Amino acid sequence: MLKKLIPFSLLCLGSLFSFGQDIMHFDVDVTQNMDTFYVKATPPKKLKKANAIFQFPSTAPGTYQTMNIGRLVSDFKALDKRGKALKVELVDINQYKISKPKKVKSLTYKVAETFDTKLTELPIYMMAGSSIENDHTLINAHTLGGYFKGMQSNPVGIKILGKADWTTGSALKLKDGYYTATSFDELVDSPILSGKLTMAETKIADTPIRIFTYSEKGKLNSEMLLGEMKQMLESAEKFLVKLPVDNYTFLYYFLQNPSGVTGAWEHSYSSEYVLGEGEPNKAFLKSVVDIASHEFFHIVTPLNIHSEIIEHFNFEKPTPSQHLWLYEGVTEWASHMQLYRGGVTTFENYIANGIKQKILINELYFSPDWSLKRIADESFDGGEGAKQYGNIYYKGSLVASYLDIRLLELSGGKIGLRETLLNLVQKYGKGNPFNEKTFFDDLAAMTYPEIKDFTDKYIIANEALPHAEYLGKIGLEYTRVSDKNIVIKKKANPTENEKMLFDAWSVNLPR
Ligand SMILES: [Zn+2]
């Protein structure tokens, strides 16, 4: 995820399954009320006593935010086959207990949309929220769905009752009128945008890429975005050797006056963007593509490389993973680096956005006392944890930059962070999480023992980042002019080793 937290220009397969009787259906009516989803949930044929609790999500993967969706739910009813209401009890902010689960034929409830609902505590990021207006709806399934206890892994389908002429964008496949997913996790991983949208598509290598756009004033459309996006996707393909997805969908939602935190949210086969609607000029479109570069790169981490905490997502209780530095910091580094190594941005641009801006924002907007591990550990806490969270994109990205340089140094220019990530994808990959507790040791074991010192100092502890030393290793001269001014340029007389490392640093090394 990437939040637009600073008033800068920048802002942040399904496998096959039979459509059998164990599928949970959601019918979502967005026509009855402009601010409320009317939901009917039909459970798989027969519930058991162990399934008596219906759980609404407390959070969602990749958001690092406590949401407590139960707050938005009203009029929750469990009905038997004759339409008679069974006794239900709210046992927790996100949990309803049904007295006779075996008799449940369906559930009905209402859920307020998040865009137009004032939440004074724990407000929900717009890109992880929901909206209904006259000409569109944005659905993130965790904001209006849930699961019966013990059935998080059951197949699920969602049908949107909107307007007949609406276009719908989602990575999910449509089957018998329902967008279907193999599990509740996959449903949450697949946002749906429906309404008066524009659509454009292309192919990168063999991978179909689709863009759907809702633009409130009609200033932006999918065709414009695709033009800017192609270069980024092509450089991403070079960086990754081969795209690890067989299809990908971008969902864009532009609005005039955002009511909350805007940004973007990554998913396995799609990403979704809620952004202020700018003028369709080069600078604005570029800023949008920069965010897309970050989100798209998430197909590597956390989506292919993550710990068991992310793999077995806990919707009931927010549980942080200390490896946020990898999921967000490394992703942010890669989103800039892939553009530089792919020839989309110049060296000067890379240094300005990928290094200097990161150093300044890290220092000017965030507390110097928080290590990357602490940012991860306290990411769900609201308050100070939520305030410091944004630094994962700045300090986290810088640490990734220096980890790359350290790896290149130790390997004599043979293996950097990109190559290490590709090795990690091979070693782990989808469905095969790494060990949350031993990962730093495992990383050192697959690279160099010195990498353990690096992660100890700059991820677990909070040692000051050695900008001059690390940039110096690749022949760059770092000069601190003032609080707000840094000069980074190529050394006049770099050593042979520095020149060699700079050359290795500037390209995607051969695999
Ligand atoms: Zn992100």
Side-chain angles (χ1 to χ4, degrees):
M1 178 171 277
L2 191 61
K3 289 194 286 172
K4 180 179 191 285
L5 43 81
I6 314 233
F8 265 34
S9 58
L10 182 89
L11 328 182
C12 194
L13 206 111
S15 45
L16 296 170
F17 62 89
S18 59
F19 202 74
Q21 57 191 24
D22 60 344
I23 190 164
M24 173 95 183
H25 286 123
F26 290 100
D27 292 83
V28 180
D29 190 343
V30 298
T31 61
Q32 294 211 35
N33 182 304
M34 218 51 85
D35 295 315
T36 310
F37 295 94
Y38 281 63
V39 183
K40 179 182 172 200
T42 312
K45 225 170 184 177
K46 191 98 177 160
L47 294 176
K48 296 186 177 127
K49 216 172 163 191
N51 311 127
I53 301 262
F54 189 78
Q55 176 79 46
F56 287 101
S58 67
T59 181
T63 64
Y64 312 104
Q65 182 181 53
T66 299
M67 298 185 200
N68 290 337
I69 296 302
R71 297 181 291 171
L72 302 166
V73 176
S74 59
D75 233 350
F76 185 95
K77 290 190 183 106
L79 306 171
D80 69 11
K81 63 181 179 195
R82 286 193 297 274
K84 211 174 123 235
L86 301 159
K87 205 176 138 209
V88 291
E89 189 189 350
L90 183 65
V91 291
D92 175 86
I93 187 160
N94 299 309
Q95 291 182 336
Y96 286 87
K97 189 174 180 186
I98 298 155
S99 61
K100 291 176 180 157
K102 286 178 193 165
K103 293 200 161 180
V104 174
K105 179 82 170 118
S106 64
L107 306 176
T108 61
Y109 54 86
K110 297 174 192 166
V111 191
E113 67 158 296
T114 69
F115 282 21
D116 289 336
T117 304
K118 270 260 162 295
L119 293 168
T120 46
E121 270 181 17
L122 299 172
I124 294 168
Y125 299 143
M126 294 185 85
M127 57 283 197
S130 60
S131 171
I132 308 174
E133 294 298 333
N134 207 7
D135 60 351
H136 71 277
T137 182
L138 170 66
I139 291 183
N140 275 298
H142 67 277
T143 64
L144 53 78
Y147 54 89
F148 290 98
K149 203 153 202 154
M151 301 175 91
Q152 186 181 337
S153 302
N154 277 51
V156 51
I158 184 166
K159 182 190 271 182
I160 298 158
L161 305 157
K163 292 186 184 160
D165 62 343
W166 283 4
T167 301
T168 300
S170 172
L172 293 174
K173 302 266 182 301
L174 195 60
K175 181 141 196 215
D176 301 336
Y178 286 84
Y179 287 92
T180 52
T182 53
S183 64
F184 185 70
D185 295 57
E186 190 184 301
L187 191 72
V188 173
D189 191 30
S190 314
I192 302 170
L193 181 60
S194 186
K196 300 266 185 214
L197 315 181
T198 54
M199 199 277 241
E201 59 189 325
T202 188
K203 267 191 174 180
I204 301 295
D206 292 331
T207 305
I209 308 279
R210 295 180 191 89
I211 301 180
F212 293 88
T213 304
Y214 172 77
S215 176
E216 189 180 349
K217 295 280 178 214
K219 290 182 178 178
L220 299 144
N221 64 53
S222 296
E223 206 60 50
M224 289 170 188
L225 291 163
L226 182 66
E228 287 295 312
M229 198 85 89
K230 270 193 97 160
Q231 267 194 320
M232 181 279 280
L233 291 167
E234 278 158 7
S235 74
E237 209 236 342
K238 282 186 218 148
F239 195 91
L240 298 171
V241 186
K242 185 183 180 307
L243 297 183
V245 287
D246 58 8
N247 71 87
Y248 197 84
T249 303
F250 290 93
L251 301 176
Y252 281 102
Y253 184 115
F254 294 103
L255 75 175
Q256 284 289 303
N257 297 302
S259 58
V261 174
T262 58
W265 189 17
E266 77 279 7
H267 300 285
S268 299
Y269 294 92
S270 61
S271 47
E272 177 221 317
Y273 305 75
V274 176
L275 301 169
E277 187 176 33
E279 297 302 319
N281 54 39
K282 189 91 189 151
F284 182 75
L285 292 174
K286 189 184 171 307
S287 72
V288 173
V289 171
D290 282 349
I291 307 170
S293 179
H294 173 103
E295 301 308 328
F296 188 72
F297 197 83
H298 274 306
I299 56 180
V300 175
T301 186
L303 299 165
N304 269 279
I305 315 171
H306 53 243
S307 82
E308 67 273 4
I309 288 180
I310 309 288
E311 178 75 13
H312 309 289
F313 193 76
N314 190 339
F315 284 102
E316 225 176 298
K317 184 175 179 297
T319 311
S321 162
Q322 63 179 325
H323 299 294
L324 189 63
W325 69 275
L326 173 67
Y327 315 140
E328 292 297 344
V330 170
T331 294
E332 179 61 7
W333 164 79
S335 75
H336 289 277
M337 204 38 139
Q338 72 182 14
L339 295 177
Y340 170 56
R341 289 181 182 160
V344 181
T345 51
T346 60
F347 168 75
E348 288 72 22
N349 265 328
Y350 175 75
I351 291 295
N353 299 319
I355 305 283
K356 274 203 276 192
Q357 192 205 65
K358 302 289 183 203
I359 296 175
L360 292 174
I361 293 178
N362 165 45
E363 292 176 3
L364 296 170
Y365 290 86
F366 298 101
S367 163
D369 304 331
W370 285 55
S371 69
L372 294 179
K373 183 178 180 302
R374 183 172 173 204
I375 293 174
D377 289 343
E378 299 183 35
S379 53
F380 286 105
D381 295 358
E384 198 54 26
K387 255 193 232 161
Q388 299 301 327
Y389 170 79
N391 204 12
I392 204 74
Y393 303 108
Y394 299 94
K395 190 189 265 190
S397 177
L398 287 168
V399 167
S401 301
Y402 299 155
L403 178 58
D404 180 42
I405 292 173
R406 186 75 174 122
L407 286 163
L408 287 168
E409 182 189 28
L410 291 166
S411 66
K414 296 276 186 300
I415 288 177
L417 183 52
R418 163 186 173 261
E419 293 69 34
T420 302
L421 285 174
L422 295 176
N423 291 341
L424 285 167
V425 171
Q426 262 171 12
K427 183 169 178 190
Y428 297 101
K430 248 193 176 54
N432 185 24
F434 61 70
N435 186 312
E436 169 79 20
K437 289 208 176 75
T438 64
F439 184 65
F440 289 120
D441 293 314
D442 299 340
L443 182 64
M446 72 182 279
T447 54
Y448 301 92
E450 291 89 341
I451 293 303
K452 186 70 180 16
D453 304 331
F454 183 96
T455 54
D456 278 347
K457 277 186 188 169
Y458 304 117
I459 295 174
I460 296 173
N462 192 37
E463 288 202 16
L465 294 179
H467 305 301
E469 183 197 337
Y470 270 72
L471 294 168
K473 291 177 198 287
I474 54 167
L476 303 180
E477 191 175 276
Y478 171 91
T479 313
R480 190 76 202 214
V481 183
S482 69
D483 273 7
K484 292 183 183 166
N485 190 5
I486 297 167
V487 175
I488 297 170
K489 58 179 189 199
K490 292 182 189 167
K491 286 183 190 173
N493 296 303
T495 66
E496 283 306 311
N497 197 52
E498 287 168 359
K499 267 197 275 185
M500 179 275 289
L501 288 179
F502 179 83
D503 290 345
W505 175 83
S506 297
V507 296
N508 293 320
L509 293 167
R511 294 283 295 160

